[in-house]
Amino acid sequence: MDFKKNYLLLLIIHVFIAGLIFVVPIFSRIYSLFILVGGIVYIVKKQNRQNEVLLVAAYISGAEVFLRTTDGVIVYEFCKYAVMIVIAFGMFFSGFSKNAIPYWIYLLLLIPSVVIATFVLNSSVEDRKIISFVISGPACLGFSALYAYQRKVSYDQMHNILLAVGLPIISLTTYLVLYNPSVRDVITGTDSNTATSGGFGPNQVSTALGLGIFVFVCRAILQSSSFKTVILNLAIAAIITFRGVVTFSRGGIYTAIVMISLLLFGLYVKFNANGKIKLSYFIVGLFTISSLIWVYSLSQTNGMIGNRYSNKDASGRLKESKFTGREELAASELNAFYSSPIFGVGVGKSMEIRKQETGIDAASHNEISRLLAEHGSLGILILLILFITPVILHFDNKENFFMYPILFFWLLTINHAAMRIAAPAFVYSLTLLKVYIKAPTIPHQV
């Protein structure tokens, strides 16, 4: 399907999917299976000649939060496994880079902690689930990275991959509106709000929506062939932004702001004089729209959202914790690292230690502190590989202005939502692509 010619149709289809699932919830299970099976058929039919696997994996990653919200996943980590399965099909048809040595090392560095976990955790089904829950995200990242490493894609292909991520986020946003049409009626405090998040985790919903904001702002700037399309993309971004703000989970919104800022900076540096003028007008418009969304959010939440972002409670009193208690989780993981600095305490063991020592029964929100706790010094090497490798590769692909926004999506997301969803794992791999961009411009019709 031609994404440009059928853009409006694709948007309508994804609004319709959300409506259908809202009315007939069981359809979500059918939809999830259709995505996987249909994606595999699509890859096999095309024999991955144009890296179709990246479109399918991107779509699965974008759909995960929507599927979890609507109880569409058969097993909780379905989408991470699905991404790895379709990536395997891509490797079968197109192979993978022999030069991806950093990511073979990365995968090998994950193994010692998994081995340790088999000894320190019980052999119960629940403990095996913990290992799967924790390691599936890093494994998904490694697998995706092996395929994407230095793989050549065109500028238009990159936009299509990002759109594949964004389309199911349209469905998620539509579902949130149907689930909770009146935000004002459910806001009673400043805590993250499951009612405005479709009944699912606000942190993960906010993460997905933040990614969606970036995708459609990006399309408004670079993929809008007419002023009407600019308005359409900005309207979509505005609706997603409002629904993201009123989840009362700040991580996804802050991440979107950083991603868009890095994108605008990268474009401004690369644009010619005429492009810089157009982009300046766009930035002013974006700032105006953002201000209006904020004012509207304040009115719809009776000012509570202002308290949330200024770290105050419902009564306007400053909260003691700026991180909603997550610093306690990170502190317990750093203590675990200090106790086992070489190989760590083992995958999933930090949760057990934290429960025993503090009584807190919760998974980590921070992948960095988790890596230190459960992988020890090997976790430091893992983080260095993951951050430094795309930066080094970027020196040979400086025209790729997508790299830094995507890299910081991964980095910021793992700081507030760990690797609980497939998006940071797969989207990270896009930093490794070799994207050919001759001279990015804002379309003349805009």
Side-chain angles (χ1 to χ4, degrees):
M1 178 181 284
D2 189 319
F3 280 22
K4 287 185 177 179
K5 288 183 179 179
N6 297 285
Y7 184 51
L8 185 59
L9 176 61
L10 287 169
L11 296 177
I12 293 171
I13 287 172
H14 284 83
V15 170
F16 174 77
I17 288 171
L20 181 59
I21 289 175
F22 181 76
V23 176
V24 188
I26 191 63
F27 185 75
S28 185
R29 292 286 178 101
I30 299 170
Y31 177 49
S32 65
L33 291 174
F34 176 79
I35 293 171
L36 177 57
V37 176
I40 292 172
V41 171
Y42 176 64
I43 294 166
V44 172
K45 185 177 179 181
K46 297 289 185 178
Q47 295 190 7
N48 202 45
R49 294 187 188 91
Q50 297 295 320
N51 289 306
E52 285 82 5
V53 66
L54 293 175
L55 291 174
V56 177
Y59 191 88
I60 293 169
S61 299
E64 181 174 17
V65 174
F66 176 54
L67 293 174
R68 286 187 179 180
T69 301
T70 56
D71 194 29
V73 291
I74 300 169
V75 294
Y76 197 70
E77 304 302 326
F78 171 80
C79 288
K80 292 175 188 174
Y81 298 139
V83 167
M84 288 189 276
I85 289 169
V86 298
I87 290 289
F89 275 90
M91 289 179 174
F92 175 78
F93 287 109
S94 306
F96 51 85
S97 174
K98 296 178 181 178
N99 297 320
I101 297 172
Y103 294 96
W104 285 114
I105 295 173
Y106 160 79
L107 288 170
L108 288 172
L109 290 174
L110 294 175
I111 294 174
S113 184
V114 176
V115 174
I116 292 171
T118 61
F119 290 99
V120 299
L121 291 174
N122 297 322
S123 59
S124 66
V125 173
E126 194 61 35
D127 283 340
R128 288 198 297 271
K129 284 183 179 179
I130 290 173
I131 295 175
S132 173
F133 170 76
V134 173
I135 208 67
S136 56
C140 181
L141 185 153
F143 218 52
S144 301
L146 289 177
Y147 178 83
Y149 191 88
Q150 293 276 265
R151 192 169 294 273
K152 298 175 183 177
V153 297
S154 70
Y155 176 65
D156 285 338
Q157 282 179 308
M158 189 64 186
H159 275 294
N160 289 342
I161 292 166
L162 291 175
L163 180 58
V165 173
L167 285 172
I169 296 175
I170 293 287
S171 298
L172 172 63
T173 307
T174 304
Y175 183 84
L176 296 179
V177 173
L178 294 172
Y179 185 91
N180 170 234
S182 177
V183 171
R184 191 190 297 271
D185 292 341
V186 297
I187 301 299
T188 57
T190 59
D191 293 332
S192 296
N193 197 304
T194 54
T196 57
S197 305
F200 190 60
N203 195 16
Q204 294 177 35
V205 172
S206 172
T207 298
L209 295 178
L211 184 55
I213 295 166
F214 171 76
V215 168
F216 289 101
V217 168
C218 188
R219 293 194 68 80
I221 304 172
L222 298 167
Q223 289 287 291
S224 298
S225 57
S226 68
F227 185 70
K228 288 182 180 179
T229 312
V230 173
I231 298 300
L232 173 62
N233 284 318
L234 286 178
I236 293 170
I239 294 169
I240 297 174
T241 301
F242 171 68
R243 296 305 310 198
V245 168
V246 298
T247 63
F248 279 69
S249 183
R250 295 164 291 188
I253 300 301
Y254 285 145
T255 300
I257 292 170
V258 172
M259 291 179 76
I260 292 168
S261 299
L262 289 170
L263 174 71
L264 293 173
F265 178 78
L267 290 174
Y268 196 85
V269 169
K270 295 183 181 301
F271 278 165
N272 57 28
N274 184 48
K276 282 181 169 65
I277 292 171
K278 284 187 175 183
L279 189 62
S280 297
Y281 286 132
F282 185 89
I283 292 171
V284 171
L286 200 61
F287 182 78
T288 302
I289 293 170
S290 300
S291 299
L292 292 172
I293 293 169
W294 181 249
V295 171
Y296 183 68
S297 300
L298 285 171
S299 69
Q300 291 298 301
T301 62
N302 297 313
M304 293 289 186
I305 195 64
N307 287 351
R308 174 65 170 176
Y309 276 78
S310 56
N311 198 45
K312 296 177 182 177
D313 62 20
S315 300
R317 294 169 300 198
L318 194 66
K319 293 182 179 180
E320 292 183 10
S321 171
K322 292 183 178 180
F323 305 103
T324 59
R326 292 176 188 174
E327 63 270 34
E328 294 179 15
L329 302 182
S332 70
E333 287 166 341
L334 290 176
N335 288 333
F337 170 67
Y338 300 145
S339 67
S340 302
I342 308 295
F343 294 111
V345 297
V347 170
K349 184 66 175 179
S350 63
M351 292 172 60
E352 183 180 308
I353 293 173
R354 180 163 51 247
K355 186 177 180 180
Q356 291 173 349
E357 294 182 350
T358 68
I360 300 173
D361 186 13
S364 177
H365 282 265
N366 191 309
E367 188 69 8
I368 294 175
S369 59
R370 188 204 67 80
L371 280 169
L372 294 177
E374 299 183 359
H375 297 263
S377 58
L378 299 185
I380 298 174
L381 293 176
I382 286 170
L383 289 169
L384 289 173
I385 288 171
L386 294 180
F387 187 79
I388 293 174
T389 304
V391 173
I392 292 174
L393 293 178
H394 188 62
F395 286 111
D396 190 42
N397 189 205
K398 291 182 179 179
E399 67 268 30
N400 178 15
F401 51 79
F402 294 109
M403 197 286 285
Y404 279 111
I406 290 172
L407 180 63
F408 273 82
F409 167 76
W410 164 77
L411 182 62
L412 295 175
T413 297
I414 66 170
N415 267 280
H416 73 85
M419 297 275 279
R420 297 187 181 187
I421 57 177
F426 171 75
V427 172
Y428 169 88
S429 71
L430 302 181
T431 65
L432 307 175
L433 294 172
K434 202 161 190 176
V435 185
Y436 287 95
I437 305 172
K438 293 180 180 178
T441 58
I442 296 176
H444 293 297
Q445 294 89 337
V446 177

